[in-house]
Amino acid sequence: MFNPTSTQENIYLQSVAPIVDSVLEGFNGSIMAYGQTSSGKTHTMLGPDIDDEVNRGIIPRMVEGIFNKIETAPEDIEFTVKVSMIEIYNEKIRDLLDPKKNNLKIHEHKDKGVYVKDMTESYVGSEDEVFALLKIGNENRAIGVTDMNS
């Protein structure tokens, strides 16, 4: 049940941290925010400012959690971290790291699984690199005015 006094940290620890742990053990995991305009999706996922360590949202906390786990992992385990950022808006898939790619298609491959063809994937080695890409992607998001938020 939703608790309006829940903090970003509590939401992350209870709902997302177990998924991050599973992903780092080799399982697939997804975290999505879905809802009507102005319902708080961006606030929950990013927070008011990704550099604000107290109020930042799920994604910055996941990034921190991933890199903390990588740092403490046994040395014989190798990790590769890639960042992609897409948006589905008006039934079109846009690459937020390369906005010229604005009508991408979903494909399925027997080895790769489901993927978005031609989506930008940037290799990263630190939280700061991820945050820089998040800022670029966030600037390229479509923000539409609807009757819900006007």
Side-chain angles (χ1 to χ4, degrees):
M1 180 175 187
F2 174 71
N3 179 349
T5 61
S6 291
T7 64
Q8 294 280 45
E9 181 180 25
N10 286 343
I11 291 168
Y12 173 76
L13 291 172
Q14 290 180 14
S15 302
V16 179
I19 297 170
V20 172
D21 290 343
S22 293
V23 166
L24 291 172
E25 292 171 4
F27 297 95
N28 290 328
S30 295
I31 295 140
M32 294 177 52
Y34 178 84
Q36 68 187 37
T37 300
S38 295
S39 61
K41 298 177 299 292
T42 301
H43 179 81
T44 299
M45 295 305 282
L46 291 174
D49 179 356
I50 62 174
D51 295 319
D52 178 346
E53 292 190 19
V54 173
N55 295 310
R56 63 182 171 186
I58 288 172
I59 294 171
R61 291 175 191 279
M62 283 188 339
V63 170
E64 179 184 25
I66 288 167
F67 283 101
N68 284 344
K69 297 277 184 178
I70 289 171
E71 284 181 24
T72 60
E75 288 187 26
D76 62 326
I77 298 175
E78 187 174 317
F79 293 90
T80 301
V81 181
K82 296 188 287 186
V83 172
S84 299
M85 196 168 175
I86 60 169
E87 166 182 74
I88 303 171
Y89 186 75
N90 286 336
E91 299 184 26
K92 290 192 176 187
I93 300 173
R94 295 180 53 231
D95 187 328
L96 295 177
L97 299 179
D98 185 355
K100 294 177 294 240
K101 299 177 182 177
N102 61 12
N103 197 15
L104 301 175
K105 304 294 180 203
I106 297 173
H107 293 274
E108 187 171 6
H109 186 272
K110 66 177 182 141
D111 296 323
K112 248 176 134 169
V114 177
Y115 68 99
V116 177
K117 185 175 183 192
D118 298 325
M119 173 179 67
T120 302
E121 294 182 316
S122 298
Y123 289 90
V124 293
S126 71
E127 287 180 58
D128 290 339
E129 289 178 24
V130 175
F131 290 169
L133 291 170
L134 281 174
K135 289 174 184 175
I136 290 167
N138 201 39
E139 288 174 11
N140 291 323
R141 289 179 54 231
I143 300 175
V145 175
T146 69
D147 290 338
M148 292 300 296
N149 63 0
S150 60

